Amino acid sequence: MRFVSGVVVGLALLASARPALAADSDVPANFVSTDEHETIIPHVGFNIGGGVSFPITDAGDRFQTGGAFQAGVSYNFNHRLGIQAEYLYSGYNIQADVLNSTGTNGTHVMQYGDLNVVFNVLPARPFGIYVLGGPGIYYRRVEITEFAGVGVVPYCDPWLYICYNTTVPVEAVLGARSRTDFGLNAGVGISLRLFGGPLRLYAEGRYHFIFSGDIDTAAGPQKADGQYIPLVFGLRL
């Protein structure tokens, strides 16, 4: 009985001492430890998104606004600073007034891989703002085609319950050029934490400058530096 009484008294003294200990320490009594960058894999995040890409200056004079797809993986050193490896694919049509020949068409594709430093100006709780930028390797390809008549293409697929021959337009490639160059990018983004967990909705815009080097033309060496502004919306985990 004496032992039970001692335990009860000890617990009572411990309970009364906890508020005093919390008040004397640097940590508030109601402090709850949270990681603003909590992810499924500690420190590692993923993002995927899509949107539009605007060629500007000389590129904008030749190419229309295109679509873009983006995917990346990041490593967060802490809740403020991280690095991100990223891939983007974007496609564009050539402006109608660039190719004056009737029946001529053209397309442009840009792909890049870059490595960015990401700094969270305002970590997502739930709304966040971040800036990012870094170097990248950019691949660009332009292809010019022309309408070259029609061809008969047999098509038979039992899974689709159809089997017939049809005529389709045929295009011939007049010329194509591709380059891989070094570039830089910088931009800003916003994020919104969803459902109180690691999933975040993000929107970001970035400016990309691609250094083309000299390209041989009939008028002599010229540069075709590229400038683009993709606006991307997606999910970050």
Side-chain angles (χ1 to χ4, degrees):
M1 191 62 162
R2 187 174 299 176
F3 172 77
V4 174
S5 301
V7 171
V8 172
V9 172
L11 291 175
L13 292 175
L14 181 61
S16 63
R18 285 191 62 187
L21 291 174
D24 293 338
S25 66
D26 294 331
V27 181
N30 61 349
F31 175 77
V32 178
S33 178
T34 60
D35 181 4
E36 293 296 338
H37 279 269
E38 60 180 345
T39 55
I40 294 178
I41 303 175
H43 298 286
V44 178
F46 305 91
N47 68 282
I48 185 169
V52 295
S53 181
F54 301 95
I56 60 175
T57 62
D58 291 341
D61 293 337
R62 293 164 175 82
F63 307 119
Q64 300 176 7
T65 300
F69 167 81
Q70 179 188 80
V73 59
S74 59
Y75 182 86
N76 303 304
F77 299 106
N78 51 52
H79 74 289
R80 289 284 186 182
L81 186 65
I83 57 173
Q84 178 193 61
E86 181 185 63
Y87 166 81
L88 181 138
Y89 176 95
S90 56
Y92 316 81
N93 289 323
I94 293 181
Q95 297 279 12
D97 58 351
V98 172
L99 299 174
N100 297 321
S101 176
T102 302
T104 305
N105 192 16
T107 58
H108 167 45
V109 168
M110 181 185 73
Q111 302 179 67
Y112 71 71
D114 60 17
L115 184 64
N116 297 316
V117 175
V118 183
F119 179 76
N120 291 285
V121 179
L122 177 65
R125 38 176 130 173
F127 177 79
I129 301 174
Y130 61 93
V131 294
L132 71 169
I137 300 297
Y138 294 76
Y139 170 83
R140 292 179 291 167
R141 178 178 176 83
V142 176
E143 189 173 278
I144 308 299
T145 60
E146 71 168 351
F147 177 71
V150 295
V152 178
V153 179
Y155 187 83
C156 188
D157 190 335
W159 292 102
L160 300 179
Y161 307 107
I162 54 176
C163 190
Y164 62 91
N165 291 338
T166 185
T167 58
V168 296
V170 176
E171 289 185 331
V173 177
L174 297 180
R177 179 187 292 272
S178 61
R179 286 184 61 89
T180 301
D181 298 296
F182 174 79
L184 297 171
N185 81 96
V188 62
I190 59 176
S191 63
L192 177 66
R193 189 178 292 272
L194 302 176
F195 315 117
L199 186 64
R200 299 186 295 279
L201 181 69
Y202 76 92
E204 66 179 39
R206 269 185 275 168
Y207 169 75
H208 295 260
F209 188 94
I210 307 169
F211 302 90
S212 75
D214 291 332
I215 297 175
D216 293 330
T217 70
Q222 296 186 17
K223 293 184 180 296
D225 296 336
Q227 299 181 61
Y228 302 80
I229 300 180
L231 300 179
V232 177
F233 306 86
L235 295 173
R236 192 181 301 278
L237 188 62

